[in-house]
Amino acid sequence: MKHQIQGLFLIIIFLGCSACSNNSDDLNDEIIEENPDASLYFPSTASDDWATVSPEELGWNTNNKQPLIDFLEEKDTKAFLILKDGKIAMEEYFGTFKKDSLWYWASAGKTLTAFTVGIAQEMQLLDLNDKTSDYLGEGWTSAPADKENLITIWNQLSMTSGLKDTAFDCVTAACLEYEADAGSRWAYHNGPYTLLESVVSEAAGTTFSSFFNTNLRNRIGMNGFWLSTNGLNNVYFSTARSMARFGLLNLNNGVWNDEIILGDLTFISEMKNTSQELNKSYGYLWWLNGKESFMAPSLQVVFNGSLTPNAPADMYSGLGKNDQKLYVVPSMGLVIVRMGENAGESLLGPSSFDNALWEKISNLID
C-alpha cells in the first residue's frame, strides 16, 4: 500500500509542476534524438492499415522466398511476418489461420512484462532494487526470511531468484523453495517471473492487465489479452501483427512514431543487454544473440558460442514454447514474427528451429 500512495503522490507532483513540464519536453526531444532511425514507418493506432514494401524493391533474393514459405509450412507455422524499417515486406498465413486470428505468445510474452515493469519504474511506482517482499509480503516463498529478502524485482527480471525451478509454473510459497542466494544462480523459472504481475499490480493499485492495456497495448494499437491456460501463469494472445507492433516499438527504443511509451533509456539498454554474468545471452526476459556463451531452460550448463549462429549478432528475441518467435534486428531494421505449432522439439524457448529458420531468412534477405 505504501508504494501505491508514494507513486500517486509523485505522479500528482509531476503533473502539477509547469517547470517539470518544460524539462519533460526537453527530455522527450533528447529521447527521440537517440532513437536509431527517424525514418521508421509506424502504422496507425486507429486502424489495421499497414504500408508494405516488396522484397523486389528491397533487392532481396526473391528466388529464395518460396523455399522459406515451404519450410515454414512444413514446420506447422500459422503466421509469419517480416517488417523492414516498419513496413511489411512479407506476410504469410497458413491453413485456416488469417490476419485477424489470435494465437498465444507463450514465453515470448515475457518481453511484454519486462517492458511493463520498465514503465512502472519510470512512473516511480517501483524500483528494480526493491525487495519483492515489499510488494508480495513476507513469506511469499518458503525460503528463510533472510534469503527471501535477498530477492529483488531485478532478480525476477533476470531469472536469478535463486529459488528451485523444479516446480516450474508454481507460484505458491510451498513450491518456491530456496536453492541458492539470489543473484548467484541463473535458472529459467516461470514462478518468480509470473509474480512480477502481482508486483506491478500492487505497485500500481490496479490489475496488471489494466495497467498493461492503458500504458502499453492501447497506445501502440495492439490487440490481445492475458489468459491463464493452466491456472498458474498468464499467457498473452494476439494477432501476429500485434506482436509485430511490439517488436517495432522495441526497434525504436520505446518510442512509437513520436510518442514516448517508455523513455527510460537506461532500463531499455539493460533490458536488451546481458543482465548478469551467469547467462550472457539473457537480458531482462529477452534472449540475446551474438554473445560468447548461453544457458538454456531446464539446464545448469553453459554452452560456448552464440545462441543463433545464422542470425545477426545484434538480434534480440522473445522466444516461447512451441516456437513462438519475435526477432528484432536493429542493424538491419528488421522485426520478424513466427507463430505456430511446435516445429519439432517442444522446447520452452530457444531451439534449433531458430538457426534453421534464420538460414532460410538469410538466403532471402542477403
Side-chain angles (χ1 to χ4, degrees):
M1 179 61 71
K2 67 176 182 178
H3 297 282
Q4 297 174 26
I5 296 172
Q6 290 170 351
L8 290 171
F9 180 69
L10 289 166
I11 291 170
I12 291 169
I13 291 176
F14 177 80
L15 292 175
C17 175
S18 60
C20 291
S21 178
N22 292 334
N23 292 338
S24 177
D25 291 342
D26 293 339
L27 178 60
N28 288 356
D29 292 341
E30 178 183 339
I31 291 169
I32 291 172
E33 286 175 3
E34 291 194 28
N35 282 324
D37 188 350
S39 66
L40 285 176
Y41 165 84
F42 293 86
S44 169
T45 58
S47 75
D48 203 30
D49 295 338
W50 205 312
T52 62
V53 59
S54 71
E56 290 82 4
E57 291 176 90
L58 295 169
W60 291 354
N61 188 343
T62 55
N63 290 332
N64 290 321
K65 181 179 178 180
Q66 191 59 49
L68 170 58
I69 293 172
D70 293 343
F71 176 75
L72 291 165
E73 187 168 22
E74 173 192 336
K75 295 298 183 178
D76 290 329
T77 300
K78 291 186 177 292
F80 182 79
L81 276 81
I82 299 180
L83 304 186
K84 170 60 177 169
D85 297 330
K87 296 180 180 179
I88 295 177
M90 185 173 173
E91 184 174 27
E92 301 289 334
Y93 299 98
F94 301 86
T96 60
F97 203 85
K98 305 299 180 185
K99 182 180 70 173
D100 297 327
S101 300
L102 303 179
W103 195 249
Y104 63 92
W105 291 37
S107 285
K110 287 181 167 67
T111 58
L112 295 169
T113 303
F115 201 98
T116 305
V117 170
I119 292 173
Q121 177 172 257
E122 186 171 38
M123 294 173 65
Q124 299 184 7
L125 301 175
L126 54 78
D127 188 283
L128 299 195
N129 295 316
D130 289 343
K131 294 183 298 183
T132 301
S133 57
D134 288 346
Y135 302 87
L136 302 185
E138 295 180 1
W140 68 276
T141 74
S142 58
D146 60 330
K147 299 302 184 181
E148 178 180 280
N149 284 332
L150 296 175
I151 304 171
T152 65
I153 298 171
W154 179 87
N155 293 123
Q156 292 175 274
L157 283 171
S158 59
M159 293 288 182
T160 58
S161 70
L163 298 171
K164 290 182 180 178
D165 53 307
T166 47
F168 183 67
D169 286 325
C170 187
V171 294
T172 62
C175 57
L176 294 173
E177 300 177 271
Y178 174 81
E179 176 74 14
D181 283 2
S184 67
R185 179 178 185 265
W186 188 91
Y188 194 75
H189 190 182
N190 260 4
Y193 152 73
T194 299
L195 288 170
L196 281 169
E197 296 182 8
S198 298
V199 169
V200 172
S201 177
E202 174 65 22
T206 186
T207 65
F208 177 81
S209 291
S210 177
F211 186 83
F212 166 82
N213 292 346
T214 300
N215 293 287
L216 175 52
R217 186 196 71 174
N218 299 348
R219 297 176 69 188
I220 66 171
M222 289 178 65
N223 64 18
F225 54 87
W226 295 93
L227 176 69
S228 178
T229 56
N230 62 2
L232 296 171
N233 63 314
N234 287 325
V235 175
Y236 199 68
F237 288 75
S238 80
T239 62
R241 283 192 173 194
S242 283
M243 184 184 272
R245 282 177 181 266
F246 180 64
L248 180 56
L249 174 66
N250 281 274
L251 180 65
N252 205 40
N253 283 339
V255 178
W256 184 264
N257 205 354
D258 58 356
E259 180 181 3
I260 298 169
I261 310 300
L262 174 58
D264 185 343
L265 295 176
T266 298
F267 179 89
I268 289 172
S269 176
E270 292 173 350
M271 179 175 66
K272 299 188 289 190
N273 285 286
T274 301
S275 59
Q276 30 62 51
E277 292 303 308
L278 301 165
N279 183 359
K280 295 187 176 181
S281 296
Y282 207 71
Y284 292 162
L285 306 176
W286 285 90
W287 290 93
L288 315 174
N289 201 37
K291 306 303 179 183
E292 64 188 60
S293 61
F294 65 92
M295 295 178 67
S298 306
L299 297 173
Q300 286 297 304
V301 178
V302 177
F303 299 92
N304 291 326
S306 178
L307 191 65
T308 311
N310 286 336
D314 66 323
M315 181 179 79
Y316 55 95
S317 308
L319 303 177
K321 182 179 179 180
N322 294 334
D323 295 300
Q324 317 312 317
K325 311 292 186 183
L326 172 60
Y327 304 121
V328 182
V329 185
S331 63
M332 303 180 74
L334 294 175
V335 173
I336 300 176
V337 168
R338 187 269 180 183
M339 289 178 163
E341 303 286 1
N342 166 34
E345 296 177 44
S346 299
L347 297 179
L348 293 173
S351 70
S352 64
F353 176 69
D354 293 292
N355 212 41
L357 177 56
W358 264 99
E359 180 181 4
K360 303 293 185 182
I361 294 172
S362 296
N363 289 340
L364 171 65
I365 65 179
D366 284 351

